[in-house]
Every structure is written in structure tokens, then in C-alpha cells.
Amino acid sequence: MIMTEIPPDLTCWVLTNGMAGFETQAIGVAEALGLTPIVKRVAPRAPYKWLAPRGPAQPQPDISPPWPDILIASGRQSIPYARMIRRESGGRSFTVILQNPRIDPANFDFVWAPDHDLLTGPNVLSTPVSPHRLTRERLEREAERIAPQVAHLPRPRVAVLIGGTNAVYQLTETVAAKLAEQLARIADEGAGLMVTPSRRTGEKQTAILKEALKNKNAIIWDGSGDNPYFGFLGLADALIVTCDSVNMVGEAAFTGKPVHVIELEGGSPKFRRFLDTMFATGAARRFSGKLENWVYEPLNATEQIAAEIARRYPARQAELARTKKG
């Protein structure tokens, strides 16, 4: 939690369509403010879902007064509800939007968007990475939980975070084979590898990695039990991460450890801007097949966003009080 001017007894809603990425980011910001949010999920039907973000909000029973002191909304389907709540509360609900709302940011009190969205405005904050729920305490706790599982691995210990094919990138079997060869070489040179594939990695690609590393100083999460992802982040001396997830690269950069980025086949202008920005911050470098060592200031958008909300909220309340007196 950051030191803020936000009273801890304020009511806070997190409003999304239920997608984990949106919800996690919003909850992380609320927690950084020292607030315990009430999570609200909306699922508008046609034609309301088609008309978002510009159209009206479809009535939903649990989206009703009393309105929250602070609303943190994320995702296109949440935007009509955020506009409605700001209007119906007479501006009393301080409306925060995470991600580009696709309409004028002036419709809200505060908007955060990643740098690669190129969104600007007097009430807009942009950062290279996204907010999340990671804290130093959580990394330490998760590292302690899985420490016995990796105690046999030599140092440096390297967390290898493997995403996979999505709408923008492809993790082909050819790329997986090259990566497996590079990782095996790093292990042969004395590093211990902590590898966590994802659902998008692919069965054949995961099998290629397992085969190359089966007699090496490496452990590969098999998908059973609790995901050791955060524990790997906490225990790592360095990280190797595929480029296909903005959140995964950003969470790696929260650790302050060298982040080696594997560039997959494909890409888009937006992802290119994101990766180039990450390289420019000094947090990340392209993975060349070998480990490098460097130092940078950990990236933490969550605290930046929370601090900006904490700065703006009292000013908005003072403005409302002046308007009421007038």
C-alpha cells in the first residue's frame, strides 16, 4: 500500500466484464490505495454490448445507488456504466478508467493507459507497464512457499516465463526448438532454470522444452497444483520471458532483475511500441541466447496510478464543495 491522502473508509467499486486481466489490474490499484473494493461485473446483451463504449448502459440490478466514492472501471463494456455512475452521482463518484476508454477521457475524472496506446489528455497518465496485484510482500511470501522445490538448483536461478501463440504472435515448433537449445546451453553453463509454460504454449512446444531440459538443472511446472509463477519471480536472479504478454513482461520488470525478452514470430505496431519502450527503460533487453546482467529501477505502474488518484481525489472533492456552496 502507498502512503496516500485517501481515507481508508471510502467505498470503492471495481467494475469490469469479468475478464481476469481487467479485474486484476483494477483490484491492484484499489489495494494500493488501501481500499477493499466491491467487485462488480457487467454482461450487457445486444444491442447494448455492440454500442459500447458510446452507447447507454443496460440496466443491471446490482449497479445501483448508493454509488461508490471511487469507481475503478476497465474494459469497453464497463465504459457506459462508468459514464452513467458519474452522471447519476452528480460527479460525487470519482471515476477512474484503466485502459483506453475509446472515447474522450474528459468524460471521466482520471484515465490510465499504457504508453503504447498513445493516449494523451490533462487527466491521463501513461506508463510503460500495466498495473497488477504484485507487492514485494507477495513475492517474498510466494518465494518462501516454493523455495524447497528449487533448493537443488544452482545459481544464478533463472525464471523462464513462456507464453505462446495469440492473435499477434506465434510460438512455432521451430521457435520452441531454438529456445529449448538456448535454455539447455544456459543450464550447461551453470544456471538453474525455473520454467513455467502457459495454456497457450502448446503441447508440442512444451514437449520440446521438456525433452531438451530433462537431464539439466531445470524444473518445469507440469500444470498441476498451485502455479509457482510468482514464486519463480521472487526467487529469480534473472528472467527470460516471451514477448506475447504485456502483463507478463511488465510483472517481470517489477522484480528489478534483468528481463530478457524472447521475440516471437509476428507482431503488431502496438506491441512493437511496447517492446521498444521496455528496451528504452533499461528494464528489458532482447534475449540473445545468453544471460546478461544489468541494473535498473523496478517498474511499478500500480503505485504511480494510485499516487495520482490520491493526488486528484481531494482536489475533486474540494471542487465539488465549492460548487455546492456557490
Side-chain angles (χ1 to χ4, degrees):
M1 185 180 74
I2 66 169
M3 296 300 294
T4 75
E5 299 179 49
I6 294 290
D9 59 345
L10 293 184
T11 57
C12 176
W13 287 4
V14 158
L15 181 67
T16 74
N17 66 353
M19 289 185 64
F22 292 145
E23 195 166 283
T24 296
Q25 291 180 359
I27 293 173
V29 171
E31 290 174 340
L33 286 165
L35 302 176
T36 301
I38 297 171
V39 176
K40 303 276 188 175
R41 294 170 180 155
V42 295
R45 298 185 301 273
Y48 294 93
K49 67 181 297 184
W50 302 335
L51 298 173
R54 292 178 173 80
Q58 182 180 29
Q60 186 166 314
D62 65 334
I63 310 298
S64 59
W67 303 117
D69 296 307
I70 294 180
L71 171 72
I72 304 175
S74 185
R76 184 169 63 90
Q77 298 302 331
S78 74
I79 300 303
Y81 294 91
R83 289 169 40 231
M84 182 267 290
I85 290 169
R86 189 171 191 247
R87 180 180 67 251
E88 294 296 320
S89 70
R92 190 185 66 80
S93 291
F94 187 87
T95 52
V96 175
I97 304 298
L98 303 183
Q99 304 290 342
N100 189 338
R102 307 296 177 185
I103 60 174
D104 188 348
N107 284 282
F108 313 100
D109 293 298
F110 174 71
V111 175
W112 167 83
D115 281 344
H116 54 264
D117 273 356
L118 305 179
L119 185 68
T120 60
N123 65 333
V124 175
L125 172 69
S126 294
T127 61
V129 296
S130 303
H132 47 65
R133 295 186 71 185
L134 279 184
T135 63
R136 299 296 167 200
E137 293 75 18
R138 183 177 185 184
L139 286 187
E140 291 172 4
R141 185 170 63 250
E142 291 295 313
E144 183 177 357
R145 180 178 66 84
I146 70 161
Q149 302 173 34
V150 304
H152 65 287
L153 293 179
R155 305 195 84 124
R157 291 179 184 150
V158 184
V160 184
L161 315 177
I162 309 296
T165 298
N166 59 16
V168 177
Y169 288 103
Q170 298 82 46
L171 175 53
T172 64
E173 292 177 49
T174 300
V175 171
K178 179 181 178 181
L179 174 59
E181 179 184 341
Q182 293 171 323
L183 293 177
R185 187 181 310 119
I186 288 173
D188 286 340
E189 292 170 353
L193 304 182
M194 305 176 293
V195 185
T196 174
S198 73
R199 288 189 297 272
R200 292 185 291 104
T201 302
E203 290 185 10
K204 292 182 178 179
Q205 291 85 340
T206 300
I208 290 170
L209 292 168
K210 288 181 176 179
E211 178 64 24
L213 299 176
K214 66 180 180 181
N215 296 317
K216 308 297 182 182
N217 288 317
I219 60 172
I220 303 177
W221 183 50
D222 62 5
S224 62
D226 293 334
N227 192 330
Y229 173 83
F230 293 121
F232 286 176
L233 290 182
L235 291 168
D237 298 303
L239 300 100
I240 298 173
V241 55
T242 55
C243 69
D244 51 291
S245 169
V246 169
N247 288 340
M248 197 159 64
V249 175
E251 287 170 349
F254 174 75
T255 67
K257 310 294 177 58
V259 179
H260 305 73
V261 177
I262 305 161
E263 295 214 34
L264 303 179
E265 295 180 0
S268 70
K270 182 180 288 190
F271 261 92
R272 184 72 266 155
R273 290 194 297 270
F274 166 67
L275 293 175
D276 288 345
T277 298
M278 290 302 298
F279 298 148
T281 67
R285 297 179 184 176
R286 290 181 180 86
F287 181 51
S288 64
K290 62 180 181 180
L291 289 182
E292 301 179 59
N293 190 34
W294 67 92
V295 177
Y296 64 92
E297 187 68 26
L299 304 185
N300 191 344
T302 312
E303 288 193 356
Q304 287 181 262
I305 295 166
E308 190 63 16
I309 294 170
R311 184 182 73 82
R312 289 174 178 268
Y313 178 79
R316 175 59 177 159
Q317 294 305 109
E319 179 185 346
L320 288 173
R322 287 194 299 271
T323 302
K324 187 175 181 179
K325 288 180 180 179

